[in-house]
Amino acid sequence: MKKITDFIINKRYWILGLFIILSVISAILSTKVNINYDISRYLPDTSETRIGMDIMDDEFEESESSFNLMFKGLSDKEKEEIYNYLISVNGVKDVDYEKNDNYNKEDSTLYIVHVDDTEDSKLAKDVYNEITDKYKDSEIYTSGAIASRNTDVLPMWILILAVGCAIIILIIMCESYIEPFLFLATILMAVILNNGTNIIFDSVSNITSSISAILQMALSMDYSIMLINRYRQEREKEPDKIQAMKNALYNAFTSISSSSVTTIVGLIALVFMSFTIG
């Protein structure tokens, strides 16, 4: 083990360069990963739900889908303009809207947009994105099959909030202001590598795609803290920084590996779930 830790420290610049290159490649590959929004694909073949869905698919082949679009605070003129726009969008088969209480309640206005394809199709995605981008500055709410397929499980603001909280806590707890950003940079590289290597799979779940980054941060942050803490202890005995890090990496190996084993054993149980999203 001593030879391995010494090799890592002696070849640190080569290793860092290699991981930067791999991260760039993974960042490119991550854009090519196919995201699956159909959670039913992970159901076992023997599941009653899976069997029932297969029978319905055989008997009733879907050829269209829809999503609900609700606006707040529209005038009568705006309601008519929005309806005319929605019906003109390429791929929209029909729009349900009438000037009655079924579609207008207080200051809320509902449109039901029908697309001439299934909810998991590229056409449905393009229609949904075009409409939501058009009214991104308006107060809108969406629901329905197409909306569920094209909405992230974990909104970006939650990820930003989590990272922000982590930075604040680390700045308070760490002895150096650079350490929190060093930790996060390391984890960011790991997240990019993880997302990029998902290209080996036919597809990954949108749940996986949404939560993997924040899950990695939560599970692996402590290993960086353990190593840097051990390095400080070694520096008290060893004036040479390089040798101190070699000693720290070697002496921290047992505690880091034993801690990671508990994480691995806990998560490996997911592999044996009949619901194969695990």
Side-chain angles (χ1 to χ4, degrees):
M1 188 62 210
K2 183 67 174 174
K3 291 182 179 179
I4 296 175
T5 55
D6 287 353
F7 175 81
I8 291 172
I9 301 304
N10 291 333
K11 303 297 182 180
R12 60 193 181 278
Y13 294 120
W14 288 97
I15 294 173
L16 178 61
L18 174 62
F19 272 83
I20 289 175
I21 293 172
L22 291 175
S23 296
V24 172
I25 296 172
S26 294
I28 297 172
L29 291 177
S30 65
T31 63
K32 309 295 183 182
V33 174
N34 182 34
I35 305 299
N36 170 43
Y37 293 89
D38 184 8
I39 199 170
S40 65
R41 283 183 55 183
Y42 302 103
L43 291 169
D45 293 336
T46 55
S47 165
E48 292 185 5
T49 303
R50 175 75 273 170
I51 294 171
M53 293 179 67
D54 289 341
I55 293 174
M56 284 191 291
D57 288 342
D58 291 338
E59 296 295 331
F60 302 98
E61 183 178 354
E62 293 185 11
S63 59
E64 66 175 64
S65 53
S66 64
F67 69 96
N68 303 322
L69 180 66
M70 189 181 78
F71 289 81
K72 287 281 191 178
L74 297 180
S75 64
D76 291 339
K77 182 180 179 182
E78 289 173 329
K79 293 176 183 179
E80 191 67 28
E81 289 175 348
I82 290 173
Y83 173 80
N84 291 333
Y85 166 75
L86 294 176
I87 202 68
S88 68
V89 173
N90 184 38
V92 173
K93 183 177 182 180
D94 193 15
V95 177
D96 293 344
Y97 172 73
E98 293 180 14
K99 295 180 179 180
N100 57 38
D101 291 342
N102 292 329
Y103 297 91
N104 298 273
K105 290 188 177 180
E106 297 180 354
D107 65 338
S108 300
T109 306
L110 175 67
Y111 301 91
I112 302 176
V113 182
H114 298 273
V115 177
D116 199 16
D117 210 335
T118 57
E119 67 263 21
D120 57 347
S121 65
K122 184 178 183 301
L123 177 63
K125 181 178 181 179
D126 290 343
V127 169
Y128 180 82
N129 289 337
E130 180 178 342
I131 292 173
T132 52
D133 286 345
K134 169 76 172 178
Y135 297 108
K136 61 184 178 181
D137 295 328
S138 304
E139 186 178 359
I140 63 171
Y141 303 88
T142 61
S143 65
I146 297 177
S148 299
R149 296 270 182 167
N150 294 281
T151 303
D152 290 332
V153 174
L154 193 68
M156 181 58 66
W157 70 266
I158 294 181
L159 180 60
I160 295 172
L161 179 62
V163 173
C165 290
I167 291 175
I168 293 172
I169 293 171
L170 289 171
I171 288 176
I172 294 172
M173 302 299 293
C174 292
E175 295 185 7
S176 169
Y177 288 116
I178 195 65
E179 288 178 11
F181 300 99
L182 183 63
F183 296 159
L184 292 174
T186 305
I187 292 173
L188 175 62
M189 189 176 292
V191 169
I192 293 173
L193 288 168
N194 185 40
N195 289 342
T197 51
N198 280 337
I199 196 72
I200 67 174
F201 300 111
D202 174 56
S203 64
V204 296
S205 166
N206 66 316
I207 298 175
T208 299
S209 179
S210 297
I211 70 172
S212 61
I214 199 166
L215 187 62
Q216 277 186 266
M217 185 181 73
L219 292 176
S220 59
M221 178 71 75
D222 52 337
Y223 305 136
S224 299
I225 296 173
M226 291 164 68
L227 179 58
I228 202 70
N229 184 59
R230 186 70 196 192
Y231 171 72
R232 290 199 198 95
Q233 295 175 8
E234 295 295 335
R235 281 285 285 153
E236 294 176 359
K237 301 178 291 184
E238 175 58 62
D240 182 65
K241 294 180 179 180
I242 303 300
Q243 187 59 46
M245 180 52 79
K246 289 180 180 180
N247 296 340
L249 191 58
Y250 175 75
N251 292 322
F253 175 79
T254 301
S255 56
I256 291 175
S257 59
S258 60
S259 176
S260 65
V261 165
T262 60
T263 303
I264 292 169
V265 171
L267 292 178
I268 204 168
L270 300 176
V271 176
F272 299 99
M273 291 170 57
S274 59
F275 185 39
T276 57
I277 194 172

